[in-house]
Amino acid sequence: MEPDYDVTEEQKKAYEANEADFTGLEKRIRDFDETASARLAASARRFDPDAQYCYRCPCDQYEGIQSRCARDTCGHSRTSHHGFI
């Protein structure tokens, strides 16, 4: 049994819709991650699935735990980096 957080039916429906949207978004991000990784691997640029790096530039200083790039010149968002998910 799920805990009751004392929410209305309207609020439950809003949470359910949000859950569906976020689930879809997470799948799209995973799909993009796979595609971007495959592209870079095919070009012999990136091939280590455990490495953390930017998809948009050759920067290799992404820090996944901090969700940021340590290189000031990168300038790309955390979602632009392998290791984000």
Side-chain angles (χ1 to χ4, degrees), residues 4-85:
D4 180 11
Y5 294 108
D6 195 30
V7 294
T8 66
E9 284 303 312
E10 183 178 1
Q11 291 166 340
K12 286 180 187 177
K13 288 178 184 176
Y15 280 119
E16 289 170 3
N18 288 348
E19 176 65 23
D21 287 348
F22 277 103
T23 297
L25 177 62
E26 289 164 355
K27 182 188 180 318
R28 290 177 65 192
I29 291 171
R30 280 191 302 276
D31 290 346
F32 171 77
D33 185 72
E34 290 174 13
T35 300
S37 291
R39 245 185 236 129
L40 293 176
S43 71
R45 178 64 189 164
R46 303 290 188 195
F47 52 88
D48 182 354
D50 296 324
Q52 296 183 347
Y53 49 82
C54 185
Y55 285 128
R56 298 171 67 179
C57 73
C59 174
D60 62 356
Q61 295 183 32
Y62 177 66
E63 297 174 334
I65 294 172
Q66 286 83 14
S67 292
R68 68 177 183 87
C69 187
R71 181 176 287 181
D72 293 335
T73 58
C74 175
H76 295 125
S77 67
R78 64 187 180 140
T79 56
S80 298
H81 291 79
H82 180 265
F84 165 68
I85 53 173

